[in-house]
Amino acid sequence: MPETLAPAPAPTTPALPAAVLWDMDGTLVDTEPYWIAAEQELVAEHGGTWSHEQALQLVGNALTVSARILRDQGGVDLPLDVIVDRLLGRVVEQVRQEVPWQPGALELLTGLAEAGVPCALVTMSYTALAEEVVSRGPAGAFVTLVTGDQVTRGKPDPEPYLTAAERLGVDVGSCVAIEDSPTGIASARAAGIATLGVEAVVPVPHLEGLSRAASLAKVDVATLARIGAGEVVDLTL
């Protein structure tokens, strides 16, 4: 009798991440143009000009760091906390008019909620702006918000991401982070998190072990599971 071959084992599906930790500006929402416009308006009030190239150096920074650069390089002769308040207030005004969700962001948030994967927002923007954005998204999409005014050391330090995992009660090494800026990517990776860099206003660097995507529209829950399981995914083409 012919030998009966055993059936090939079914491919295994990677386990879902314990949580997904989202950056906000540039990743979840396309607010970087709002920040750049606010910076240019503020510098212009003080008789200066602020180029797009100068603005790009602020992407992903703690707001106090950005305020110091605006004071030192943009000639904004105001205390740092006043600069932060002015920028934040202007961006909040723009978000109230329209939340510029990144393509695929709401669909991915919905998919994660349906799969039972908790999410945290990890942003260097302050609570006032983060709450405005979250309140206009899917109800209950985020379990917790970690904002720039809640941490001692902002990105690229790992503290914001470590804080998010602690609040969620999950192992930080079982999470996946979604970021757009080199500063944010450095923060997530320093915390030991498998990270997906999504192209926004600044290029996502080529780094060993870093997954990349041209848009969240190319990313689904299964993609994040693969990244969380250790696969490096490249969806930039």
Side-chain angles (χ1 to χ4, degrees):
M1 296 181 61
E3 182 180 355
T4 303
L5 298 177
T12 58
T13 302
L16 295 173
V20 174
L21 313 180
W22 292 72
D23 173 54
M24 186 175 74
D25 297 293
T27 301
L28 179 68
V29 286
D30 186 21
T31 44
E32 296 297 358
Y34 289 0
W35 285 104
I36 292 171
E39 294 157 16
Q40 291 172 335
E41 291 171 7
L42 188 56
V43 170
E45 284 181 21
H46 289 78
T49 57
W50 192 245
S51 70
H52 185 73
E53 289 69 26
Q54 286 175 300
L56 292 181
Q57 69 181 309
L58 307 191
V59 173
N61 286 345
L63 285 178
T64 51
V65 173
S66 294
R68 186 173 294 108
I69 294 172
L70 284 167
R71 187 182 64 185
D72 295 345
Q73 298 182 21
V76 180
D77 188 17
L78 294 171
L80 295 182
D81 59 339
V82 175
I83 296 174
V84 169
D85 288 345
R86 289 286 303 277
L87 293 175
L88 191 62
R90 187 70 183 94
V91 176
V92 167
E93 287 177 6
Q94 295 175 88
V95 165
R96 285 174 177 165
Q97 295 174 15
E98 180 183 2
V99 179
W101 300 103
Q102 288 285 25
L106 293 177
E107 293 82 356
L108 185 54
L109 277 175
T110 300
L112 290 166
E114 291 174 348
V117 178
C119 291
L121 196 66
V122 185
T123 176
M124 289 298 90
S125 289
Y126 284 7
T127 304
L129 177 57
E131 289 181 342
E132 288 287 345
V133 170
V134 168
S135 69
R136 287 163 170 75
F142 291 98
V143 177
T144 189
L145 312 179
V146 177
T147 58
D149 51 340
Q150 297 176 5
V151 296
T152 303
R153 298 176 301 279
K155 301 174 185 178
D157 192 273
E159 180 186 345
Y161 279 101
L162 295 174
T163 300
E166 181 180 6
R167 289 184 183 177
L168 291 172
V170 298
D171 175 13
V172 70
S174 300
C175 299
V176 172
I178 307 177
E179 273 282 358
D180 72 297
S181 71
T183 303
I185 289 168
S187 174
R189 284 163 60 90
I193 304 173
T195 304
L196 171 65
V198 183
E199 199 81 31
V201 299
V202 294
V204 174
H206 290 265
L207 298 173
E208 183 178 355
L210 176 66
S211 293
R212 302 189 305 147
S215 166
L216 286 175
K218 294 189 172 187
V219 180
D220 58 15
V221 176
T223 304
L224 297 181
R226 290 163 57 198
I227 294 170
E231 184 177 345
V232 178
V233 175
D234 191 343
L235 300 174
T236 58
L237 301 178

